[in-house]
Amino acid sequence: MPSYAELSELLDPRTTVLLTVECQEGVVGSESALPELAEEARSSGVLARIARLVAAAHESGIQVIHAIAERRPDGRGASRNARLFRAAERLPVQQLAGTPAVRVAAPIEVTEQDVVVRRLHGLSPVRGTGVDALLRNLDCRTLVVTGVSANVAVPNAVFDAVNLGHTAVVPADAIAGVPSDYTPAMVRNTLALVATVATTDQVLACFRRQCRTVRR
């Protein structure tokens, strides 16, 4: 784990963006298309930790972006070139644009300053979705990645952030995947090689200090 000084230097509110990945009702909510993943995100406290991080980012003046995966009712533009996409088409809950399934899930709060980015295709919440351009325009140097799933979308976001020249920070207890023992193994053996891995409490401590600094 990084020292407080190292992490605090990375999390300058002027150049830090907090990203939530697929924290939407149809994925982590009570009516999820993926109940096992939703249960893991909620029972483990991951969703609650993400909500705390988002609230602290709001207080600290750190930009928040919510990356949502959705599809048109007619399926136009949706990816079908992987088994995952074809299986999603058969799920009882569809992530259809304009429905409750693609709303950011409680207890995460969305403010007017937040940016919600919706993608209709692919696996990545960052590259090819508009998020990459937003990060450049926001002068982002550090991207804090939270959300689901540790199996696919979260690693995609981290790799893309690094490839785009950003430093990725991953609060390891603010991401979820299935089965439950997969996430720590993936963090330890994959994400730790390319990202700064921390805990939610470590990141919150930095955010809160930045908030006190801003208020002075």
Side-chain angles (χ1 to χ4, degrees):
M1 293 292 177
S3 68
Y4 176 82
E6 293 169 334
L7 193 58
S8 185
E9 185 176 353
L10 288 176
L11 297 176
D12 183 332
R14 296 167 297 182
T15 56
T16 297
V17 173
L18 174 65
L19 178 71
T20 74
V21 177
E22 297 181 24
C23 293
Q24 56 202 77
E25 289 290 350
V27 176
V28 296
S30 58
E31 301 296 327
S32 171
L34 304 164
E36 184 181 0
L37 178 59
E39 173 63 19
E40 176 64 24
R42 289 184 172 275
S43 65
S44 66
V46 164
L47 200 60
R49 292 187 198 95
I50 295 170
R52 290 169 61 204
L53 286 165
V54 168
H58 291 156
E59 292 180 6
S60 305
I62 290 171
Q63 181 64 55
V64 178
I65 297 178
H66 304 281
I68 300 295
E70 64 181 28
R71 57 186 285 124
R72 289 167 48 117
D74 60 10
R76 287 182 181 271
S79 299
R80 295 184 177 85
N81 58 333
R83 181 177 157 198
L84 176 66
F85 301 131
R86 295 191 294 273
E89 291 179 345
R90 299 191 295 271
L91 292 174
V93 177
Q94 294 290 305
Q95 313 300 317
L96 298 182
T99 68
V102 296
R103 294 176 187 162
V104 176
I108 298 170
E109 293 187 3
V110 181
T111 68
E112 292 181 356
Q113 289 73 35
D114 292 1
V115 178
V116 179
V117 177
R118 303 178 182 279
R119 80 176 193 273
L120 294 172
H121 63 86
L123 298 170
S124 176
V126 176
R127 187 177 288 277
T129 63
V131 170
D132 49 350
L134 286 171
L135 295 178
R136 288 194 299 273
N137 292 343
L138 291 165
D139 295 324
C140 176
R141 291 179 56 193
T142 300
L143 184 66
V144 182
V145 181
T146 67
V148 298
S149 74
N151 305 76
V152 179
V154 167
N156 260 268
V158 172
F159 293 147
D160 284 345
V162 173
N163 284 331
L164 290 166
H166 309 293
T167 296
V169 171
V170 178
D173 54 352
I175 63 172
V178 289
S180 57
D181 59 356
Y182 174 76
T183 301
M186 188 276 297
V187 171
R188 182 173 61 252
N189 296 301
T190 302
L191 295 189
L193 301 178
V194 296
T196 297
V197 176
T199 66
T200 293
D201 285 343
Q202 286 180 305
V203 175
L204 284 171
C206 292
F207 282 6
R208 286 167 181 156
R209 179 172 180 181
Q210 301 289 9
C211 182
R212 289 194 296 269
T213 301
V214 169
R215 287 176 178 174
R216 285 176 186 166

